[in-house]
Amino acid sequence: MRLQDTLVIKPLKKSHLALRMFVLAAVMICGVYIFSVCLKQIGSQSMPRFVKFELTEEPCSSVGVPPSEASYLHYPKPTTYSREECACTPVRKFAILSMQRSGSGWFETLLNSHVNISSNGEIFSIKERRNNMSSIIRTLDKVYNLDWYSSASKNECTAAVGFKWMLNQGLMANHDEIVKYFNERGVYAILLFRRNLLRRLVSQLANDHDRRTKQLNGKHRAHVHSEYEANVLAKYKPTLNATELMSSLKTANECVTNALDYFNSTRHIVLYYEDLILNHTKLVDVLKFLGVPQRLMVSRHVKIHKKPLSKQVENWEDVYNAIKGTEYQSFLNADYKL
């Protein structure tokens, strides 16, 4: 047999095998990619789509309100809570400007018995809040933005918010800046005083005595809620300095006169304690002034000094002789009956 006749099988070239393996790998990669794309499309179609809506807050409107009144209607946005459905309930700002022992505590409890009124007490009795105008304005802004918390704080639907401010608590010393703030921010001023400054002085001296002696179970009571407590405090009869009496009454009267003059340019109402005692319809005027609904208002305060002044002053004869024949002689007479 010849060598040429022998069957010779030649091996495949390595290059052909590598090419086939490359093509196979490329096909597999393309298949995986196409499969993953299909899965993503199917998944996105089966999942629910959420559309995000952004609600824009519309400003509260005062339709039908005269322009002169619109600046006194406010829509606070407290930082400590949400007014929710009452966000567009207008709020009026007020301040009770008064002197100690002039009936402001009793008057404030009447206001706070109204469901829509919050009067937050004597907030400037703390000196740090009245150190300068910056601290005063910071305190005022907090109260009027409904961010001030006290026992008088009402719900979101407060329609009038304010506080008590005594004349000697930085009010008179900064009256120009405060009047400017009231006029620019639309604050109502309620000026409350006593006509009979002699009665106020007697009440003040008696209150100072109880602050020192604490006659009711070792605690000072500026105001009482029972006849028993009132009778205990009323037993004390202060002795007035007859020599300095006229000067004291004159100083108090000038302070009231100046306050009425300083705040005359604000939107204000002037009240006297004696008028509120004698004529309860005066309270109706207050509610109209604040623009809140008419409601029956009550107070738990019990009056302490009910007797004639002659029965409440230890040295009444000296006091009588010092005032008789002067411009303050009317203070000697009974100015109201309970």
Side-chain angles (χ1 to χ4, degrees):
M1 186 176 193
R2 292 182 301 175
L3 182 60
Q4 290 84 356
D5 298 332
T6 304
L7 180 62
V8 178
I9 301 177
K10 297 182 179 180
L12 295 175
K13 294 183 179 180
K14 292 184 178 179
S15 59
H16 291 178
L17 179 62
L19 179 60
R20 292 180 180 181
M21 292 297 294
F22 174 78
V23 172
L24 179 61
V27 171
M28 292 179 65
I29 292 173
C30 291
V32 171
Y33 173 75
I34 294 172
F35 181 71
S36 63
V37 171
C38 292
L39 282 179
K40 288 182 179 180
Q41 290 180 348
I42 295 173
S44 62
Q45 292 176 0
S46 61
M47 292 179 64
R49 294 184 178 182
F50 296 95
V51 180
K52 183 178 180 181
F53 293 95
E54 291 187 4
L55 299 177
T56 57
E57 185 177 351
E58 295 184 2
C60 300
S61 61
S62 301
V63 179
V65 177
S68 59
E69 296 293 325
S71 61
Y72 291 91
L73 299 181
H74 309 279
Y75 303 92
K77 296 180 180 179
T79 59
T80 52
Y81 67 94
S82 171
R83 296 189 73 205
E84 297 179 351
E85 70 272 12
C86 298
C88 284
T89 298
V91 176
R92 287 175 170 84
K93 308 172 183 178
F94 70 88
I96 305 168
L97 313 183
S98 188
M99 301 171 70
Q100 286 84 356
R101 314 311 297 176
S102 296
S104 60
W106 166 72
F107 176 72
E108 188 176 46
T109 60
L110 288 172
L111 293 185
N112 278 325
S113 70
H114 194 291
V115 67
N116 300 122
I117 302 177
S118 293
S119 189
N120 293 280
E122 212 168 306
I123 62 176
F124 285 109
S125 61
I126 298 177
K127 293 182 179 180
E128 288 75 14
R129 297 172 185 165
R130 61 174 197 264
N131 278 339
N132 49 56
M133 274 308 299
S134 295
S135 58
I136 289 175
I137 290 176
R138 186 165 53 251
T139 302
L140 292 175
D141 288 345
K142 187 173 182 179
V143 171
Y144 293 137
N145 198 49
L146 301 182
D147 281 319
W148 192 273
Y149 179 77
S150 74
S151 59
S153 301
K154 298 293 198 305
N155 57 24
E156 306 83 40
C157 290
T158 296
V161 61
F163 61 96
K164 286 196 307 177
W165 201 344
M166 299 296 105
L167 301 189
N168 62 351
Q169 293 174 350
L171 184 61
M172 301 296 278
N174 301 282
H175 64 86
D176 285 332
E177 294 89 345
I178 294 168
V179 167
K180 181 181 179 182
Y181 180 97
F182 279 16
N183 287 331
E184 290 180 351
R185 308 294 181 90
V187 179
Y188 292 74
I190 301 175
L191 294 107
L192 173 62
F193 301 110
R194 286 186 88 145
R195 295 186 185 278
N196 194 325
L197 297 176
L198 179 59
R199 279 189 174 272
R200 174 186 170 271
L201 180 59
V202 171
S203 177
Q204 188 173 14
L205 293 173
N207 186 61
D208 291 343
H209 172 75
D210 185 67
R211 185 179 285 108
R212 295 189 301 269
T213 60
K214 298 177 175 58
Q215 302 167 88
L216 292 169
N217 300 321
K219 295 182 180 180
H220 170 54
R221 292 282 189 269
H223 308 285
V224 297
H225 298 143
S226 72
E227 291 292 342
Y228 168 76
E229 293 173 324
N231 292 333
V232 170
L233 297 184
K235 289 179 181 179
Y236 173 72
K237 298 167 64 176
T239 299
L240 279 65
N241 188 328
T243 304
E244 299 180 357
L245 182 56
M246 289 296 297
S247 176
S248 298
L249 294 176
K250 183 178 180 180
T251 299
N253 187 59
E254 288 178 349
C255 193
V256 171
T257 302
N258 289 338
L260 294 174
D261 180 54
Y262 293 157
F263 289 90
N264 186 53
S265 63
T266 66
R267 175 164 291 196
H268 67 280
I269 184 173
V270 180
L271 303 172
Y272 289 95
Y273 173 72
E274 292 84 354
D275 296 342
L276 293 172
I277 291 288
L278 292 172
N279 185 2
H280 286 249
T281 60
K282 286 290 183 180
L283 294 175
V284 176
D285 297 337
V286 175
L287 297 183
K288 288 181 179 179
F289 176 69
L290 293 177
V292 296
Q294 300 294 315
R295 295 284 189 277
L296 176 65
M297 298 188 294
V298 295
S299 172
R300 293 180 56 233
H301 281 200
V302 175
K303 186 169 176 58
I304 297 172
H305 298 103
K306 303 176 184 178
K307 299 177 181 179
L309 278 173
S310 59
K311 303 295 184 181
Q312 296 178 164
V313 177
E314 187 66 35
N315 59 332
W316 174 249
E317 187 174 348
D318 295 336
V319 171
Y320 183 87
N321 292 329
I323 295 181
K324 186 179 179 181
T326 70
E327 58 184 311
Y328 303 118
Q329 179 172 326
S330 61
F331 294 167
L332 299 171
N333 305 320
D335 44 20
Y336 57 85
K337 294 181 181 179
L338 296 177

